[in-house]
Amino acid sequence: MGIRKIVTIGDEALRKVCRKQEKFDFRLAVLLKDMADTMYKAEGVGLAAPQVGILRRIAVVDVTEDHSGLLELVNPEIIEQEGSQTGREGCLSVPGRQGVVTRPMKVKVRFQNRKGEWMELETEGFEARAICHETDHLDGKLYVDMMDRELTEEEIQGHIPEDDAQ
Ligand code: NI
């Protein structure tokens, strides 16, 4: 298990536009495995390569509690989106903070798998939110740039009215 160090806000790696991944080799497989292990250990629902200091268009997402829904997204692009949802969001690179962010309710994402095969996935709700958050990372964008507002410490612990909108 290769746990990588997660960089935090202020690190310039988080502000770069990442380059396309061109090679679908053993190194990519190792990176994807390490990224998933790092995400699960940190109890996150997504992790993008720049968060571990690698400026490539690669992300992992898993919004399930039992780790059964791992998505490995190489060169992902949101090609369709529909509706909107407003709710809380956090980021492993922005520890201890959360904000209210409006995202599409449904997305269609086109991406390559670890073998380089192009795939499409339609999803909605929290998984759609997580995919949007991770693809933003690949363009150097953080949720704090687009949040409607930041949550207070008390709200982070409890219920917030915007959650009802989801
Ligand atoms: Ni993040």
Side-chain angles (χ1 to χ4, degrees), residues 14 46-48 51 89-94 103 130 133-134 137 141-143:
L14 296 173
L47 188 72
Q51 293 183 272
E89 207 161 297
C91 179
L92 294 175
S93 293
V94 189
R103 299 281 191 185
H133 177 117
E134 299 314 324
H137 270 299
K141 295 184 204 152
L142 299 176
Y143 85 85

Side-chain angles (χ1 to χ4, degrees), residues 11-23:
D11 190 301
E12 65 178 28
L14 296 173
R15 294 306 190 175
K16 305 283 191 197
V17 174
C18 296
R19 292 191 306 270
K20 218 175 159 211
Q21 178 69 19
E22 309 276 5
K23 284 190 183 168

Side-chain angles (χ1 to χ4, degrees), residues 1-131:
M1 192 191 272
I3 302 297
R4 309 258 179 144
K5 183 178 182 297
I6 299 175
V7 302
T8 54
I9 189 165
D11 190 301
E12 65 178 28
L14 296 173
R15 294 306 190 175
K16 305 283 191 197
V17 174
C18 296
R19 292 191 306 270
K20 218 175 159 211
Q21 178 69 19
E22 309 276 5
K23 284 190 183 168
F24 294 84
D25 56 5
F26 180 69
R27 284 187 61 182
L28 173 64
V30 170
L31 175 62
L32 285 164
K33 176 73 167 67
D34 286 358
M35 285 175 61
D37 288 343
T38 304
M39 169 181 72
Y40 291 135
K41 181 154 188 279
E43 298 183 351
V45 295
L47 188 72
Q51 293 183 272
V52 293
I54 294 175
L55 302 178
R56 292 286 174 181
R57 304 190 77 80
I58 301 167
V60 291
V61 167
D62 189 345
V63 299
T64 66
E65 298 226 329
D66 62 358
H67 302 178
S68 62
L70 179 63
L71 299 174
E72 295 177 334
L73 306 171
V74 182
N75 301 320
E77 294 166 52
I78 308 280
I79 54 171
E80 283 176 31
Q81 57 182 66
E82 198 186 312
S84 81
Q85 56 175 319
T86 298
R88 73 171 69 205
E89 207 161 297
C91 179
L92 294 175
S93 293
V94 189
R97 294 170 62 187
Q98 288 185 5
V100 174
V101 187
T102 300
R103 299 281 191 185
M105 179 53 88
K106 291 185 184 179
V107 296
K108 186 190 276 188
V109 59
R110 183 171 179 267
F111 61 97
Q112 283 168 288
N113 65 13
R114 59 166 64 201
K115 294 185 222 160
E117 296 161 344
W118 284 99
M119 328 271 288
E120 281 185 11
L121 172 75
E122 284 184 62
T123 187
E124 60 183 68
F126 192 54
E127 189 172 63
R129 172 182 294 284
I131 289 170

